[in-house]
Amino acid sequence: MFAIIQAAGWPIWLLLISSVIALALIIERSIYLRRNLVLPPTLLDEVIRVHRSGKVNAEVIDKLEQNSPLGRVLAAGLRSVDAPREIMKESIEEAGSGVAHELERFLTTLGTIASLAPLMGLFGTVVGMIEIFGSQTATGANPAQLAHGISVALYNTGFGLLIAMPALVFYRHFRALVDSFIVDMEQKAVKFVDVVHGTRQS
């Protein structure tokens, strides 16, 4: 492996750093963006039950807020449960926008790496081509320098594509996952508002 890195020249280090960052982001988002952690399946029913029992207090709301992203949205609703419907919806929407921002954290970086990796590979290719042309002398090409330039060009192109493809796949996967979470969260929040204001039965 080290021989390949040596053959690829110094531009490969930019790609290796990008690959490490991308892998770390993929692992972190895979752990964080699990449906049962973001949207606990029984949480809404439990919150409705606690609300109807009249046992809502600051401690319950704080505990709910720490539960999950959905819990944070529902906690915002519980804090304004005695307010008019529109005020309650506004509170939930504000909390929801903050939660959505947190769910989307690092996705821009991952998407940037997916877009940038082929360009960094192309940069390495250009560096390799420069070395190839630099190996040309009046007496002919230097074979060792020519071979090194070709290695730099090809390895960097390959590494750039190798990093970009999985990064792009995971970026699109996480983006779709976050979008589905936000839609589900909105539906649960609307149901909670309707239940609190008596327009829907759970």
Side-chain angles (χ1 to χ4, degrees):
M1 183 64 183
F2 187 68
I4 293 175
I5 294 173
Q6 278 186 316
W10 64 266
I12 199 69
W13 289 104
L14 299 174
L15 288 165
L16 288 175
I17 292 169
S18 298
S19 68
V20 170
I21 294 171
L23 182 61
L25 295 181
I26 288 168
I27 292 172
E28 191 275 341
R29 290 289 88 184
S30 296
I31 293 171
Y32 184 80
L33 294 176
R34 286 181 287 173
R35 183 168 290 273
N36 62 330
L37 293 182
V38 177
L39 300 167
T42 61
L43 185 62
L44 177 60
D45 293 334
E46 291 171 7
V47 171
I48 291 172
R49 187 166 59 250
V50 169
H51 165 68
R52 286 180 171 167
S53 69
K55 297 178 181 177
V56 178
N57 54 44
E59 184 180 348
V60 169
I61 293 175
D62 289 341
K63 187 176 178 182
L64 176 62
E65 199 168 32
Q66 300 300 319
N67 177 276
S68 62
L70 175 61
R72 217 167 316 155
V73 171
L74 297 178
L78 279 180
R79 282 201 175 93
S80 56
V81 75
D82 295 325
R85 179 188 178 92
E86 291 305 315
I87 301 297
M88 185 179 180
K89 283 185 71 175
E90 285 179 13
S91 299
I92 288 176
E93 285 170 3
E94 286 176 10
S97 64
V99 168
H101 179 72
E102 186 173 320
L103 293 176
E104 292 170 352
R105 188 175 54 174
F106 303 135
L107 293 190
T108 301
T109 305
L110 187 59
T112 301
I113 291 173
S115 302
L116 199 58
L119 295 177
M120 288 191 288
L122 181 61
F123 171 72
T125 302
V126 171
V127 170
M129 296 300 291
I130 290 171
E131 290 195 16
I132 289 171
F133 288 115
S135 69
Q136 304 292 327
T137 63
T139 58
N142 180 336
Q145 196 171 355
L146 182 64
H148 180 70
I150 293 172
S151 294
V152 171
L154 295 180
Y155 277 128
N156 279 279
T157 302
F159 268 89
L161 295 174
L162 190 64
I163 294 166
M165 288 185 288
L168 182 60
V169 168
F170 276 101
Y171 168 74
R172 290 186 179 261
H173 167 68
F174 291 141
R175 173 61 62 190
L177 203 58
V178 168
D179 288 344
S180 72
F181 287 162
I182 292 172
V183 170
D184 288 350
M185 212 173 291
E186 286 174 353
Q187 290 175 345
K188 290 179 185 295
V190 168
K191 181 179 178 182
F192 180 58
V193 171
D194 288 346
V195 167
V196 166
H197 287 274
T199 57
R200 182 192 294 184
Q201 297 298 317
S202 64

